[in-house]
Amino acid sequence: MDQLELNAIDRLAELFEPGPVAVLTGAGISTDSGIPDYRGKGSPPRTPMNIAQFMDDEAYRRRFWAGARVGADRYTSVHPNAGHRTLAQLEEAGFVSGVITQNVDGLHREAGTKALVEVHGNGGVIRCVNCGTERTRSDVLARFDALNPGFADRNRDAPIAPDGDAVVADIDDVRVPNCPACGGTQRPSVVYFGELVPRDVFTAGAQLVDRSSALIVAGSSLAVNTGVRFVRQAERLGLPVAVINRGPTKIDGNAAIRLEAGTSETFSALADQLTRNERTYSSPR
């Protein structure tokens, strides 16, 4: 990091002096794990899934599950990166009060974050809209294989979309993996376009901000209103807000600290600085 960035790390570390800090993360924190950023520079166009279309259109569901199955083989090596792991370590050390994430990839949970609010759900959990039974994504994709033998292998070279699913064209004969218990439609436990964040989930995020001394926005352009609401809450409480992101965000002009940088290297440098500060404060004078 250059001197300007190191000065910003010092300023970030100062946010932790009054107490633990809350962190709001977006897609940018997962890019180092190999998951594309939907809105970053150079990102391809993306049409978000519409839940009404998913529920009403059988062909849409065939395309969704076919793409999910073929795409799954490309993401077997996706794991938490240094940004995820460092935040979990900072939480364990008492520096971070918790993480509010807009991501559905489950990487914060895998990294070990305990106080975690997944405002848009978790793509690894699939639920039946009829009986409410929950299953893992891997279980449902295994059922897809049983219903569609050889499909994944035949389409293994299909291109991958920014959301990690494959762009599969040959879906006319695809059989959708409905709920084996009741035959109902199964869907990811994710907040899609056209849906609202559940009230209890948003409340949990708001409570996390309320008991923190500052808010750091990491890897998010804040294009989705849910994230902006947490920022506005912090501002109403008089809490400083810092931004770590590659590319512009909605609050660049209002942020107390603005760092144009990647999240992995920034949180790693921040953890080192907090450790040095802690040793300095605890050393005899």
Side-chain angles (χ1 to χ4, degrees):
M1 288 188 171
D2 60 28
Q3 191 57 47
L4 182 62
E5 290 172 328
L6 290 174
N7 290 339
I9 295 296
D10 289 337
R11 294 175 61 203
L12 281 175
E14 291 174 358
L15 296 179
F16 294 78
E17 292 180 9
V21 169
V23 181
L24 170 66
T25 67
I29 198 170
S30 294
T31 55
D32 286 346
S33 294
I35 299 177
D37 184 349
Y38 295 145
R39 298 180 178 86
K41 184 177 180 181
S43 296
R46 167 181 173 266
T47 301
M49 180 173 132
N50 185 302
I51 193 60
Q53 190 173 14
F54 178 89
M55 294 301 300
D56 296 340
D57 187 345
E58 174 78 11
Y60 193 96
R61 291 197 294 277
R62 289 200 300 269
R63 184 175 296 108
F64 173 86
W65 287 114
R69 173 59 190 91
V70 176
D73 287 341
R74 312 282 182 92
Y75 277 80
T76 55
S77 61
V78 171
H79 299 291
N81 60 52
H84 299 109
R85 295 193 301 270
T86 302
L87 282 179
Q89 293 162 3
L90 289 174
E91 180 195 25
E92 185 176 5
F95 289 112
V96 166
S97 54
V99 174
I100 305 165
T101 186
Q102 300 169 97
N103 301 336
V104 300
D105 52 36
L107 294 180
H108 281 297
R109 188 178 300 278
E110 186 179 342
T113 294
K114 300 296 191 298
L116 176 64
V117 180
E118 296 171 310
V119 291
H120 293 150
N122 189 318
V125 178
I126 309 297
R127 73 172 186 270
C128 174
V129 300
N130 184 46
C131 69
T133 300
E134 291 188 346
R135 295 176 175 83
T136 66
R137 189 181 185 92
S138 58
D139 285 344
V140 176
L141 294 183
R143 178 166 171 77
F144 178 94
D145 282 342
L147 293 170
N148 303 277
F151 181 88
D153 187 60
R154 291 194 302 273
N155 291 274
R156 63 181 180 275
D157 295 327
I160 301 296
D163 57 7
D165 290 345
V167 182
V168 180
D170 183 18
I171 63 164
D172 290 345
D173 296 326
V174 164
R175 297 179 64 190
V176 172
N178 290 327
C179 176
C182 72
T185 296
Q186 298 187 111
R187 57 156 293 176
S189 292
V190 167
V191 177
Y192 285 111
F193 186 77
E195 297 184 296
L196 298 175
V197 174
R199 180 173 296 182
D200 61 331
V201 174
F202 184 85
T203 297
Q207 290 173 342
L208 185 57
V209 174
D210 192 52
R211 61 176 183 265
S212 302
S213 63
L215 176 66
I216 295 177
V217 178
S220 175
S221 64
L222 295 172
V224 178
N225 189 52
T226 305
V228 175
R229 291 175 66 188
F230 292 119
V231 171
R232 299 305 178 218
Q233 177 195 356
E235 292 173 342
R236 289 193 299 271
L237 292 170
L239 305 181
V241 178
V243 174
I244 305 163
N245 193 59
R246 293 194 186 280
T249 79
K250 277 188 176 181
I251 64 163
D252 284 348
N254 299 329
I257 302 170
R258 173 69 170 94
L259 187 55
E260 179 83 16
T263 54
S264 292
E265 60 265 34
T266 300
F267 281 126
S268 296
L270 176 61
D272 290 342
Q273 184 62 48
L274 289 170
T275 300
R276 286 193 293 270
N277 290 353
E278 191 173 52
R279 289 171 180 167
T280 300
Y281 296 148
S282 62
S283 63
R285 289 181 171 83

